[in-house]
Amino acid sequence: MKKIYSFIVMFFVFSIVFSQGYEVTYQQKISLGGITTESEFQLLLDVTSSKSVYFELNKSVFHENEDEFIATDNNVVPFVEKDYSKKEIVYNQPIINRIVVVKDDLPLQKWKILDEVKIIKSLKCKKATTTFRGRSYSVWFTESIPTIGGPWKFDGLPGLILEVTSNDGVFKIETTKIEKKKKTKKIELKYDATSLISWNEYCEKYKKVIIRIRKSLKAENEQDTDYEFNIDLVEDIGL
Amino acid sequence: MNKTQTTNLILIWLRILAYKLIDIRSKKIRSSILGLFFVCITTSITAQNFKGVIKNEKGEEINNCYVVIIDKETNQVLEYTVPKIDGNYHITITDNNVSSVIIKCQGLSYTSKFKEVVLKKEIKLYKNDFILNEEINELDEVIIVSDIKKIKIKKDTVVYNVSKFKKANDRKIINVLKNMPGIRVNEKTGQIIYKGKPIETLLLDGDNLFGKNYSIGARNISSEIVDKVEAIEDYHNNRLKKGLTKSNKVVINLKFKKKKIKFSGEIALGLGIDNHLINANTINLSNKIKGFGVFNFNNVSMNQTSFEKETYISENRSELSKYSIDFLKESSVKQESNFPRSYINNIKYGTYSNLIKLSKKIKFRNNLSVFKDIKKYGYSSKNQIIINREEINISNKIQNTQEPFYFKMDNTIIYDISPLAVLKYNNRIVNKKDDFYQENIQNQNLNYNTQLKSVKKYFDQELNFSSKISSNELLEMNLLSSNDKMRQDVTFLGEAIRYNNEVFNEELVDSKRFILGAYLKYLRKIKRNNIELMLQHKYDKEDSKFVFNNNGNNNAYSFRNEISNLIVKYNYNITKKIKISEKIELGRLKRKINQKIDNQIITKKDLYFNTNTKLSYKISKKNILSIGVSNKTSQLSNRYMYTNPLLIDTRAITTNNPSLNLKKDLNIYANFSHYDLLQQSNFSLLASLNEVKNTYMSKQNISEDISIITYFQTPLTKKDINILATTSFFIDKINTKITINTNANFNTYYNLLNQNRFQSVWSSVYTTNFRANSAFKGFFNYKANMNYSYIENKQENSQAFLNSIINTKLEFNLKISKKAYANITNNLILPRGIKVTENQLFIDFSFNYISKRKMEYFILAKNLLNRSTYDQVNNTEFSKSIVSKNIFKRYVVIGLNYSF
């Protein structure tokens, strides 16, 4: 039944009427297993409805009427969508080559604010640290932009997060442009709302797949082969 | 008593009270309700609540802001919330260790405000209202924080890179490759197949050292020195073609660990009573020079060199297509067993490959290989042949010995003239000496000994120049020439062989072939599509000479072929998911046969038109459908053009009725494949139809003494229908991977026996292979394989003849400890008509022990039951045969393996 539902794509539209908001462009870099991936992302922050969407740029962009309209497909574009009033976060995650959509509760991190201060392009920023899903991070946030928002899954500080770095150098997000807008872009996200899973369910599914692949490889191998099959991930799934 | 102890006592008291008050039968419900109760109590005892209303200066409730609570002492953000539409907010914190907090209220349109609150145990609710002052700022504002960096475009060619190799086990990369998702390895030839496509080569850190002859590298490179494995799709040997055309070629790139010591290798030495196994390999990796060498000496019936028959065929197709005719190819003297246990050998083999970067622009690649073997193959057969109700019985006891000797050298120079032009020159030398000996006791009383000495010298060279004339266009020019000489000297000893009142004792067959060819190619990319035009001319000259009995009786032929053709290839992406590719060939073929003995000349000129269309539809990420139709006109081999009778062994003569009509091939296929990486399952179905017109047929006259086979061209159509289905999947519950392959082949052809009329023969072959491999955690695992083949031949107006064979193999893998493992293999082969006896059962054993990091000891034992023969039954539409093949004797080899 679930499968039938998943075939029926439920149109989930955000019709956001913006009075004021921010459009922040970030450069996201992940270095894992010898491969570095750099992508440009955008955060659309709506103050009125207390929602934000973070998604990868350079996908299909087209104009409708006078508004710039970006349609994303959950199979192609990584996105993170937050509803601060409901304290919910929804994002798509891969299980190797398949994409699933995960729903979680906010806040995801517990922050510790430090006394260190840095100026980033005339914006006074404070440092905060956290450990999130197996990795330690340091972020710089600015109270000059007094909003909870942040890139990717990071959130919950008394100011916009401008920079994120993991202590082991694997994960890095840097702001490149901040635009304060009277009217921000509309965003439309298509995913099947009935097939959302929790983070724990996602971890269990992923682990099951890895174990199955390992066993399948073991079944075909020769006795004299000893190896490990591992996937390099930013977040710890408990493997 | 402290606060915590007091709390715990209260909780215990409440729990006891709850048990008494609530009478619920279900333990599960009771415990969950109690759990909930417990949580509620806990929460209400230790939680602290913060509430309030947020308003603006005008006194209006606002919610476009948020409230954050920070632990004042630790600076830890405890919680945050967004007020409801009525401006009310409510935050709960449950951390007992917080003594004071900062409540901050802020919003984009407002000036932030905060309050400090000292927490007291007795107060559970803190009420704080906020009035926020608006900040008027209507203007859009842009802040550039840093320069936008260039985004790296993900390469389409790097498909995946997910394996890491654990600590050193000094084992071979080919075994690791076969376990990677999407990769299969042909055990016999060492050919590697990625997602259904045979790979072009194995690169070493991006460098092409092996060319097509990569199997020896894959079999010998230790997995210890390899860091990562990349499968690269859309590979181009010529870097200029990248981006202009999608190649569909795949390579595997081995990325080595960054080590200071760039020279490593392995030596294995094993000895038995009459057996030896010595294998050494070295690999040298540096930026400028890459070298790889293998040396192998063994008589344990293993041939994993590049000169193994099928490996050589799959790796050297281009070279083999330029060979002169081997007129004695079908001779029983050259016959080899296709049953691995019948291969008795004594190999001496060495190969060395080098890739040297002479300068930034010039690369030189070289390979040198030497191979020597003494192969023995013996069998006895009883044949019952029935033609026109006449029965002929023939028995043979044959011992074949073959002593091949190969010397092969390849050289390639690549000169990167500029970023837009490349010049490449390569040549190849092959010297082969092959001696065959056959002892045949026929019908128990006739002794025949045949000796065949063969010498071959082959040389080819190719010059290629390619240049990009614009960003979307490429021009390529190619010149090639090849020279092949083969001389075969057959001597018949023992009983006299008579044919046409003549006694045969010696035959000399000489063939020479010279090819000269050139082509000009133009390649252009148009948006997502590309087109290729090729103009080609090839001159092919072949001369053959036959001398019988050294008495001057001879015959000689010369064959001349000239082909000029224009080939157009077009690849078109109709949509992102649908691709079509088309190849059209328009050509002119001019042939001439000159039989020198009577100066008879036959010539023919033909125009021909070939097409090849493929459509591929990517239904989804996991499913692909492809359909193809091709029609090809080509000439028959010169092998069917000589007219004199040729004695190929002691009881067979071949000859031909030559004809220069072109052969026509029509092929239609459809292929569906499904691959699910997550489920570790796949399925593929291939159906194809092949029709050939004007191919060759044979007319056989069989008597007790001799068989005469005459080949001729026939307008009759041969048909072939093939259906192949493969599936594999993993069953979690029993930790077993199942693979099933099934193939059905239906064939119609014709035979002509002993002056009968043509009779059609319908042949069907069914083969099913079932494999189950376990993946248990413990010390025991198994691999079970069962192969069943069923062949049915039915000749017109007669009953069907059946052949079948069941081949089962059961392997037990025992992981005794981290350092020791053993393997026991049971092989049961059961042909139809042979009863199950112990003669059909074979058992092998191996044991390995890793003593130190670089040393490994092994025991290898084969044919433990010491069977001497293996029986096989073969039925055709006109004969029944029982063949008893000799197999290698039992051996036990003990040895060690050292890596450096």
Side-chain angles (χ1 to χ4, degrees):
Chain A
M1 209 51 191
K2 255 191 184 172
K3 277 189 182 171
I4 297 167
Y5 272 115
S6 67
F7 278 123
I8 303 164
V9 174
M10 285 186 51
F11 197 77
F12 207 102
V13 178
F14 271 114
S15 284
I16 302 162
V17 177
F18 290 100
S19 64
Q20 197 173 48
Y22 273 86
E23 282 177 15
V24 189
T25 310
Y26 292 92
Q27 190 84 358
Q28 185 173 298
K29 186 165 132 181
I30 301 173
S31 298
L32 269 180
I35 297 172
T36 301
T37 317
E38 276 188 55
S39 314
E40 204 174 34
F41 278 78
Q42 192 162 70
L43 175 69
L44 302 180
L45 203 55
D46 168 39
V47 173
T48 315
S49 60
S50 297
K51 285 176 178 160
S52 76
V53 181
Y54 179 77
F55 63 97
E56 192 177 38
L57 275 176
N58 299 319
K59 298 297 170 180
S60 53
V61 178
F62 51 92
H63 299 261
E64 198 179 86
N65 302 324
E66 290 169 348
D67 299 326
E68 205 177 323
F69 194 95
I70 303 164
T72 68
D73 184 303
N74 70 335
N75 283 331
V76 177
V77 177
F79 72 84
V80 179
E81 179 184 80
K82 295 166 193 167
D83 187 331
Y84 299 109
S85 45
K86 287 186 187 170
K87 295 188 109 172
E88 279 174 1
I89 178 173
V90 173
Y91 48 90
N92 55 358
Q93 292 265 136
I95 297 181
I96 308 190
N97 62 355
R98 188 159 68 97
I99 307 289
V100 295
V101 186
V102 180
K103 186 173 168 184
D104 242 329
D105 294 322
L106 285 173
L108 286 176
Q109 298 91 22
K110 286 223 176 288
W111 297 100
K112 185 173 174 175
I113 301 173
L114 304 179
D115 293 329
E116 281 177 61
V117 169
K118 173 165 110 168
I119 308 287
I120 300 175
K121 285 280 177 174
S122 77
L123 295 168
K124 186 180 169 189
C125 296
K126 276 186 175 174
K127 191 174 180 179
T129 57
T130 188
T131 299
F132 174 56
R133 288 177 184 163
R135 234 176 264 279
S136 300
Y137 297 89
S138 306
V139 308
W140 292 95
F141 69 97
T142 177
E143 286 172 314
S144 309
I145 302 173
T147 173
I148 317 174
W152 199 48
K153 298 170 190 175
F154 294 108
D155 231 302
L157 282 165
L160 179 70
I161 298 174
L162 299 187
E163 205 176 288
V164 177
T165 314
S166 67
N167 292 2
D168 55 13
V170 160
F171 192 80
K172 190 170 176 126
I173 302 179
E174 282 178 318
T175 323
T176 53
K177 188 161 88 175
I178 305 167
E179 289 178 279
K180 189 175 176 182
K181 293 264 189 177
K182 265 181 79 175
K183 203 177 177 188
T184 56
K185 290 178 195 136
K186 282 185 189 174
I187 197 82
E188 182 185 311
L189 293 166
K190 288 181 187 173
Y191 56 82
D192 181 3
T194 60
S195 64
L196 299 178
I197 57 174
S198 68
W199 173 253
N200 287 336
E201 281 173 308
Y202 168 79
C203 293
E204 287 311 307
K205 277 184 193 281
Y206 211 141
K207 281 190 278 190
K208 214 173 164 179
V209 164
I210 301 287
I211 290 166
R212 186 182 296 125
I213 292 175
R214 280 178 179 165
K215 283 183 185 174
S216 179
L217 296 179
K218 184 179 179 169
E220 299 283 11
N221 84 2
E222 295 294 329
Q223 276 186 299
D224 57 1
T225 309
D226 197 11
Y227 64 94
E228 264 184 20
F229 175 73
N230 282 318
I231 296 278
D232 294 315
L233 297 169
V234 172
E235 295 163 283
D236 182 14
I237 57 168
L239 248 184
Chain B
M1 200 184 277
N2 63 29
K3 189 176 159 186
T4 313
Q5 283 169 325
T6 315
T7 314
N8 288 340
L9 262 177
I10 297 167
L11 290 170
I12 292 164
W13 178 79
L14 281 169
R15 203 165 179 169
I16 297 165
L17 180 66
Y19 264 104
K20 285 184 176 170
L21 291 175
I22 302 162
D23 177 23
I24 296 165
R25 279 176 201 172
S26 163
K27 205 176 174 182
K28 205 174 173 183
I29 298 170
R30 178 173 62 207
S31 59
S32 60
I33 287 179
L34 282 170
L36 187 66
F37 190 52
F38 181 82
V39 165
C40 292
I41 300 288
T42 317
T43 310
S44 63
I45 285 173
T46 59
Q48 285 169 309
N49 298 281
F50 298 82
K51 285 184 178 180
V53 180
I54 320 288
K55 290 181 183 175
N56 63 16
E57 293 164 310
K58 295 174 192 170
E60 294 160 336
E61 289 94 3
I62 53 169
N63 71 338
N64 56 345
C65 57
Y66 64 102
V67 180
V68 186
I69 297 190
I70 301 167
D71 183 332
K72 192 178 176 216
E73 277 174 34
T74 63
N75 263 339
Q76 195 177 322
V77 177
L78 297 170
E79 193 51 87
Y80 69 82
T81 192
V82 172
K84 291 181 191 163
I85 203 149
D86 59 3
N88 277 289
Y89 76 88
H90 179 187
I91 296 179
T92 305
I93 59 170
T94 53
D95 191 340
N96 291 341
N97 300 320
V98 180
S99 54
S100 64
V101 298
I102 296 172
I103 310 173
K104 207 170 176 188
C105 183
Q106 56 191 74
L108 277 185
S109 314
Y110 307 100
T111 314
S112 304
K113 282 197 176 160
F114 66 92
K115 289 181 185 175
E116 278 184 35
V117 176
V118 175
L119 302 181
K120 292 175 183 171
K121 295 172 219 178
E122 57 276 15
I123 303 173
K124 299 300 161 197
L125 174 65
Y126 297 87
K127 203 160 180 320
N128 286 282
D129 297 335
F130 287 89
I131 294 172
L132 298 181
N133 300 324
E134 274 186 39
E135 259 184 18
I136 301 160
N137 192 345
E138 299 279 345
L139 297 171
D140 284 351
E141 189 190 331
V142 178
I143 305 166
I144 305 284
V145 182
S146 62
D147 293 326
I148 296 169
K149 291 168 203 166
K150 261 191 183 170
I151 295 155
K152 280 187 192 166
I153 300 159
K154 285 180 201 174
K155 287 182 192 171
D156 288 334
T157 56
V158 178
V159 175
Y160 73 104
N161 176 13
V162 292
S163 289
K164 278 184 182 170
F165 303 103
K166 233 161 95 171
K167 37 200 162 175
N169 246 359
D170 289 354
R171 290 295 90 203
K172 311 302 179 189
I173 192 70
I174 198 168
N175 288 331
V176 185
L177 285 173
K178 72 170 80 148
N179 301 322
M180 293 175 73
I183 297 182
R184 282 190 298 117
V185 173
N186 180 322
E187 295 279 0
K188 190 151 190 218
T189 64
Q191 189 191 42
I192 299 168
I193 295 159
Y194 177 72
K195 285 189 181 176
K197 286 179 230 167
I199 66 165
E200 283 301 295
T201 187
L202 199 66
L203 300 177
L204 304 183
D205 273 337
D207 285 320
N208 186 353
L209 177 63
F210 300 116
K212 287 259 182 197
N213 309 119
Y214 63 80
S215 65
I216 193 69
R219 284 201 167 114
N220 283 279
I221 291 174
S222 164
S223 60
E224 191 206 353
I225 59 173
V226 182
D227 188 26
K228 292 186 205 317
V229 171
E230 284 181 348
I232 303 173
E233 290 181 292
D234 190 31
Y235 171 75
H236 296 271
N237 206 2
N238 184 341
R239 63 172 173 82
L240 299 177
K241 287 186 184 171
K242 198 166 165 65
L244 286 182
T245 170
K246 276 266 178 192
S247 81
N248 291 324
K249 288 186 182 173
V250 181
V251 293
I252 301 269
N253 181 26
L254 301 182
K255 297 189 99 170
F256 294 94
K257 290 179 183 168
K258 305 266 180 258
K259 267 161 108 170
K260 277 187 188 167
I261 301 161
K262 299 285 190 182
F263 183 76
S264 61
E266 246 185 2
I267 299 175
L269 174 66
L271 292 168
I273 295 170
D274 290 316
N275 300 91
H276 62 270
L277 166 62
I278 302 165
N279 194 75
N281 69 70
T282 69
I283 184 160
N284 161 42
L285 300 165
S286 69
N287 268 336
K288 288 202 171 169
I289 304 178
K290 283 186 170 68
F292 179 72
V294 178
F295 305 92
N296 183 284
F297 309 91
N298 84 76
N299 66 349
V300 290
S301 302
M302 281 188 205
N303 185 356
Q304 291 185 332
T305 72
S306 44
F307 292 95
E308 191 278 327
K309 192 173 172 186
E310 284 178 39
T311 307
Y312 200 88
I313 292 171
S314 83
E315 290 184 347
N316 299 284
R317 285 186 204 277
S318 171
E319 174 196 316
L320 294 168
S321 71
K322 300 190 195 88
Y323 277 4
S324 56
I325 306 161
D326 180 358
F327 293 100
L328 299 164
K329 192 176 173 183
E330 295 150 323
S331 168
S332 68
V333 176
K334 290 195 174 186
Q335 194 182 3
E336 287 176 50
S337 173
N338 54 9
F339 181 52
R341 290 180 190 274
S342 288
Y343 170 56
I344 298 165
N345 74 340
N346 194 340
I347 285 180
K348 292 178 178 66
Y349 167 75
T351 184
Y352 205 86
S353 301
N354 267 313
L355 176 70
I356 304 167
K357 290 181 188 171
L358 296 168
S359 71
K360 270 190 178 174
K361 293 190 172 196
I362 304 176
K363 274 188 223 177
F364 172 66
R365 190 172 77 213
N366 159 267
N367 169 269
L368 198 67
S369 302
V370 177
F371 175 86
K372 190 169 161 38
D373 194 4
I374 301 172
K375 284 197 242 187
K376 291 191 189 291
Y377 170 47
Y379 66 93
S380 48
S381 67
K382 286 180 190 161
N383 305 296
Q384 184 194 50
I385 301 167
I386 299 170
I387 303 169
N388 295 337
R389 294 179 195 177
E390 213 184 293
E391 192 175 302
I392 303 164
N393 287 300
I394 304 160
S395 73
N396 289 296
K397 191 173 173 186
I398 288 176
Q399 180 63 48
N400 279 356
T401 306
Q402 184 188 355
E403 292 180 19
F405 172 78
Y406 272 100
F407 168 81
K408 186 171 158 200
M409 184 163 81
D410 273 287
N411 299 297
T412 306
I413 297 179
I414 301 170
Y415 176 35
D416 278 328
I417 303 168
S418 74
L420 299 174
V422 178
L423 183 68
K424 186 173 161 184
Y425 172 77
N426 58 268
N427 66 29
R428 174 177 286 200
I429 298 167
V430 178
N431 277 1
K432 185 178 163 190
K433 189 167 170 289
D434 225 332
D435 293 340
F436 300 85
Y437 304 95
Q438 185 184 77
E439 290 163 22
N440 182 6
I441 302 171
Q442 195 174 304
N443 294 342
Q444 294 171 348
N445 57 5
L446 300 167
N447 281 320
Y448 296 103
N449 287 338
T450 313
Q451 185 178 274
L452 198 166
K453 286 182 188 273
S454 152
V455 175
K456 176 189 266 297
K457 285 185 184 162
Y458 173 85
F459 173 74
D460 78 24
Q461 56 182 341
E462 198 170 335
L463 183 67
N464 182 290
F465 172 75
S466 50
S467 170
K468 259 187 138 165
I469 49 182
S470 78
S471 60
N472 289 331
E473 291 167 296
L474 178 88
L475 197 63
E476 191 182 334
M477 285 177 270
N478 197 80
L479 284 170
L480 71 88
S481 84
S482 73
N483 233 307
D484 186 48
K485 288 179 195 170
M486 180 146 114
R487 185 186 169 97
Q488 298 185 88
D489 199 336
V490 191
T491 311
F492 302 100
L493 308 160
E495 293 285 336
I497 300 164
R498 292 169 201 282
Y499 175 69
N500 272 356
N501 299 319
E502 201 163 333
V503 174
F504 276 85
N505 44 43
E506 195 173 340
E507 252 178 6
L508 186 66
V509 184
D510 240 316
S511 42
K512 287 178 198 172
R513 189 175 181 191
F514 170 70
I515 296 174
L516 186 64
Y519 70 74
L520 186 66
K521 206 186 267 190
Y522 170 74
L523 181 63
R524 189 195 168 104
K525 185 178 174 184
I526 309 161
K527 289 185 185 174
R528 287 179 307 173
N529 313 306
N530 58 67
I531 186 163
E532 186 182 297
L533 297 168
M534 180 161 110
L535 196 58
Q536 181 177 237
H537 183 84
K538 195 162 88 171
Y539 174 71
D540 188 345
K541 173 180 138 176
E542 193 158 8
D543 291 308
S544 312
K545 195 164 93 173
F546 302 84
V547 180
F548 303 101
N549 291 335
N550 241 348
N551 60 7
N553 275 356
N554 60 49
N555 205 346
Y557 303 85
S558 86
F559 308 102
R560 299 282 181 271
N561 289 320
E562 268 187 64
I563 305 172
S564 307
N565 57 15
L566 171 69
I567 298 175
V568 180
K569 283 191 204 173
Y570 187 61
N571 291 315
Y572 179 57
N573 295 327
I574 301 171
T575 65
K576 266 189 178 177
K577 292 187 173 193
I578 303 176
K579 285 178 200 176
I580 189 165
S581 73
E582 180 68 53
K583 180 179 166 185
I584 296 169
E585 184 179 340
L586 187 62
R588 180 177 172 269
L589 188 56
K590 183 174 151 191
R591 282 153 303 150
K592 181 174 162 187
I593 306 175
N594 183 358
Q595 186 175 345
K596 292 190 178 165
I597 196 161
D598 52 10
N599 217 21
Q600 192 188 358
I601 298 174
I602 312 171
T603 59
K604 201 159 193 288
K605 289 178 197 173
D606 283 290
L607 283 174
Y608 67 89
F609 180 67
N610 292 341
T611 60
N612 190 339
T613 310
K614 282 183 208 173
L615 180 82
S616 138
Y617 173 37
K618 196 170 179 182
I619 304 167
S620 66
K621 260 189 180 175
K622 299 176 197 173
N623 302 306
I624 300 175
L625 176 69
S626 55
I627 299 167
V629 178
S630 75
N631 128 58
K632 186 178 173 185
T633 307
S634 57
Q635 65 195 71
L636 278 187
S637 161
N638 289 335
R639 187 247 165 275
Y640 300 107
M641 302 298 162
Y642 66 89
T643 53
N644 52 272
L646 178 68
L647 194 70
I648 59 170
D649 59 39
T650 56
R651 53 160 297 105
I653 284 176
T654 62
T655 182
N656 301 292
N657 289 338
S659 162
L660 291 177
N661 291 330
L662 295 177
K663 185 176 76 153
K664 293 184 188 186
D665 264 278
L666 170 70
N667 181 274
I668 304 170
Y669 77 85
N671 183 39
F672 170 75
S673 67
H674 164 89
Y675 179 66
D676 189 336
L677 176 65
L678 269 60
Q679 290 299 322
Q680 284 291 290
S681 68
N682 66 64
F683 171 74
S684 75
L685 181 66
L686 167 70
S688 70
L689 163 70
N690 199 49
E691 270 189 18
V692 187
K693 275 184 198 171
N694 292 343
T695 184
Y696 66 89
M697 250 188 69
S698 64
K699 180 170 74 177
Q700 297 188 51
N701 277 311
I702 306 170
S703 69
E704 211 168 276
D705 300 322
I706 207 140
S707 300
I708 301 168
I709 307 164
T710 308
Y711 293 102
F712 59 96
Q713 198 166 28
T714 169
L716 296 171
T717 305
K718 274 192 195 176
K719 278 186 198 168
D720 190 282
I721 295 172
N722 199 56
I723 301 169
L724 174 67
T726 308
T727 184
S728 76
F729 47 90
F730 192 83
I731 305 177
D732 289 323
K733 283 184 184 165
I734 55 171
N735 280 329
T736 300
K737 183 158 186 183
I738 309 282
T739 307
I740 304 172
N741 297 309
T742 181
N743 185 27
N745 181 279
F746 308 99
N747 212 298
T748 52
Y749 59 95
Y750 299 87
N751 71 22
L752 185 60
L753 298 167
N754 287 6
Q755 310 309 322
N756 271 352
R757 61 179 182 81
F758 280 112
Q759 295 201 86
S760 65
V761 182
W762 172 258
S763 157
S764 36
V765 179
Y766 303 94
T767 311
T768 301
N769 194 77
F770 175 86
R771 196 167 83 227
N773 291 355
S774 70
F776 303 136
K777 275 187 184 170
F779 89 107
F780 171 77
N781 268 291
Y782 70 85
K783 281 186 185 167
N785 194 84
M786 192 194 83
N787 185 289
Y788 175 64
S789 296
Y790 176 82
I791 303 164
E792 192 179 311
N793 288 337
K794 190 179 178 319
Q795 188 168 272
E796 215 179 299
N797 302 321
S798 64
Q799 65 181 67
F801 292 87
L802 309 169
N803 284 305
S804 64
I805 184 165
I806 297 175
N807 187 333
T808 60
K809 190 170 163 187
L810 185 60
E811 219 177 288
F812 298 122
N813 294 325
L814 309 163
K815 182 106 184 168
I816 300 162
S817 71
K818 265 192 175 177
K819 294 185 175 186
Y821 53 91
N823 174 288
I824 303 167
T825 305
N826 308 288
N827 204 186
L828 177 68
I829 305 167
L830 204 60
R832 186 189 177 87
I834 304 283
K835 289 180 189 171
V836 180
T837 65
E838 53 185 23
N839 284 329
Q840 308 300 117
L841 178 66
F842 303 93
I843 298 180
D844 303 322
F845 171 77
S846 73
F847 173 76
N848 291 67
Y849 175 68
I850 304 157
S851 69
K852 289 175 200 174
R853 190 180 156 80
K854 293 183 178 185
M855 193 83 89
E856 187 177 328
Y857 297 99
F858 64 87
I859 300 173
L860 184 63
K862 294 232 172 182
N863 191 11
L864 282 174
L865 300 176
N866 207 15
R867 304 283 172 237
S868 55
T869 59
Y870 153 68
D871 294 336
Q872 197 171 4
V873 172
N874 196 25
N875 292 335
T876 69
E877 62 274 19
F878 60 88
S879 68
K880 283 182 191 174
S881 319
I882 297 175
V883 181
S884 189
K885 295 181 183 178
N886 295 352
I887 53 179
F888 59 74
K889 287 187 221 174
R890 171 175 59 204
Y891 69 76
V892 180
V893 166
I894 299 171
L896 58 87
N897 193 68
Y898 173 71
S899 70
F900 54 91

